[in-house]
Amino acid sequence: MKHVTICDHSFMKKILLGTIYIMIKIRRLTHYQLISREYRVVGLEDMDVKNELLSGLTSTPKYIPGWYRYDKEGSRLNDLCLQENENYYFHRCEMNILKANLKSMCSSDVKNSILVDMGSGNCEKTRLFIDHLLLNQEKLDFYPIDISQEFLLDTCRKLSAEYAGRLDIFPIAADYETGINKLSTCSQTKVILWFGSIQSLEAADQIRKLQMLKKTMTRDCQLIFSVDITQNRESVMKAYSDFHARQLYMNSIWRLIRDENCDVDPDNFEMEVDFIKNNSADTMSFVQVLIRAKQANSFTVPTMGITVALNVGEPLYLHEGPGISHKFTFQQIQTLIQKAGLKLADSWVDDEDHVVFCKCKVL
């Protein structure tokens, strides 16, 4: 009997396309699995979340670190606050400055740079820089740093889909210090973005983090950061007392309940927001956020083996240090940059005098 081989080209084409699709999916999955193993938020070797929480809840006064509210749910609440809080001027004014001045911010000597985003979030503002840099280079390496691993990887997947093969993303799911240490291995020229969140750090920590970033920079690198320069109490209080802002702050408590099996009752507390104004060269104004015990009460944190007791009227701060967000004068910004060992190359202010962007280089 004669053997006859029948070649169905249509069938073979489907097999080939299916194989290619599976290989691409496996490659992408493996890529994100590797990322997840290398950069972890909870369980970081370099960052002990539970010990930092324990330190805050057993200190005097008691506090929960400000970064703790930014898990995936906190990042979602933050985005919602930016969309729904009509009084929150900062994000709106940032966008106005960027849209009007992006070209002058990205000078011609940043061609073939890598892009770094400190506290990347949903990368809404960062996309403006990505688009501009890709006008002058075929591909761009992007290093987003964010403390919420889930939210970070979700954002990276969206960016990968948007920019296809032109954007190589290297997510760093970590706190700022760990992220900066990982950047130290990158020798390329960098454009480093830090939108707003530097102002959530204590004054001494702002200087220290900028000094750490400086060590990762060459003379061709640029650091572009934004800070709040609002000194009007009414404007600040409207922005930070809004319902959506309060929901974001309370995520610190809700996360304790979710992640640590904590039995704290939010109804035992009342939230207080205040604006403390300072005008000295070294001491910034700041927003203070706390919840105050309406009655003597206690709660347990089983994963840490502790009971936290509060007297009537005792505060539990929702941030470490004096404030949740600092407000700068121009003199204070200059002092910060000088103490960090950087030089101010340029700056941009919005028409409402709420926000300033600073471009810094190494001396």
Side-chain angles (χ1 to χ4, degrees), residues 228-288:
D228 195 331
I229 56 173
T230 308
Q231 299 295 322
N232 180 273
R233 178 179 176 81
E234 182 179 358
S235 296
V236 173
M237 290 298 293
K238 281 184 177 179
Y240 286 84
S241 298
D242 176 88
F243 168 78
H244 296 286
R246 289 172 177 263
Q247 292 288 100
L248 173 60
Y249 308 146
M250 281 301 295
N251 192 55
S252 294
I253 302 300
W254 297 331
R255 185 179 176 185
L256 270 181
I257 296 170
R258 286 193 304 267
D259 292 1
E260 311 300 336
N261 298 318
C262 179
D263 60 1
V264 60
D265 184 353
D267 290 337
N268 287 334
F269 299 87
E270 186 169 4
M271 182 175 289
E272 296 179 11
V273 180
D274 199 8
F275 178 52
I276 313 299
K277 191 167 183 178
N278 290 298
N279 293 313
S280 70
D282 297 314
T283 307
M284 294 156 284
S285 303
F286 56 86
V287 177
Q288 188 178 78

Side-chain angles (χ1 to χ4, degrees), residues 50-222:
K50 284 185 171 53
N51 270 347
E52 295 206 30
L53 276 174
L54 181 63
S55 177
L57 290 171
T58 56
S59 69
T60 304
K62 299 175 179 67
Y63 69 88
I64 299 174
W67 50 260
Y68 185 70
R69 66 182 179 274
Y70 289 108
D71 60 351
K72 185 176 183 179
E73 174 63 9
S75 298
R76 185 191 69 82
L77 288 170
N78 182 69
D79 283 356
L80 187 63
C81 182
L82 298 182
Q83 296 166 14
E84 302 295 335
N85 184 353
E86 295 179 358
N87 295 308
Y88 189 68
Y89 52 81
F90 190 77
H91 177 72
R92 167 174 50 82
C93 294
E94 274 188 313
M95 292 299 293
N96 289 342
I97 294 174
L98 289 173
K99 289 175 180 178
N101 300 282
L102 187 65
K103 188 174 181 179
S104 58
M105 287 184 179
C106 293
S107 52
S108 58
D109 57 354
V110 299
K111 188 176 180 181
N112 297 322
S113 300
I114 66 169
L115 184 65
V116 177
D117 190 358
M118 302 280 292
S120 53
N122 64 12
C123 290
E124 179 186 2
K125 296 182 286 286
T126 317
R127 282 173 168 85
L128 299 175
F129 284 87
I130 293 172
D131 291 340
H132 188 85
L133 290 171
L134 285 175
L135 293 175
N136 299 307
Q137 55 192 79
E138 188 61 32
K139 294 188 70 174
L140 177 66
D141 287 352
F142 177 44
Y143 292 77
I145 299 172
D146 198 278
I147 200 162
S148 173
Q149 182 179 15
E150 287 184 83
F151 196 81
L152 174 62
L153 294 182
D154 284 348
T155 300
C156 290
R157 292 184 183 102
K158 291 174 184 176
L159 288 171
S160 293
E162 288 176 38
Y163 292 96
R166 298 197 66 193
L167 191 67
D168 286 337
I169 308 174
F170 304 91
I172 302 176
D175 63 316
Y176 291 133
E177 186 157 336
T178 304
I180 295 171
N181 285 334
K182 290 185 179 295
L183 283 180
S184 63
T185 62
C186 301
S187 58
Q188 301 100 311
T189 300
K190 304 174 188 69
V191 176
I192 303 171
L193 308 176
W194 202 349
F195 299 123
S197 53
I198 187 175
Q199 63 201 22
S200 65
L201 304 177
E202 295 182 62
D205 205 24
Q206 292 171 12
I207 296 168
R208 194 168 71 86
K209 295 295 191 298
L210 288 179
Q211 289 173 337
M212 290 178 65
L213 277 174
K214 179 193 170 188
K215 292 179 181 178
T216 73
M217 298 169 63
T218 66
R219 291 188 179 277
D220 294 325
C221 296
Q222 297 181 1

Side-chain angles (χ1 to χ4, degrees), residues 287-304:
V287 177
Q288 188 178 78
V289 180
L290 58 90
I291 55 174
R292 193 178 297 278
K294 293 188 286 188
Q295 58 196 32
N297 71 92
S298 63
F299 57 85
T300 60
V301 189
T303 57
M304 300 179 198

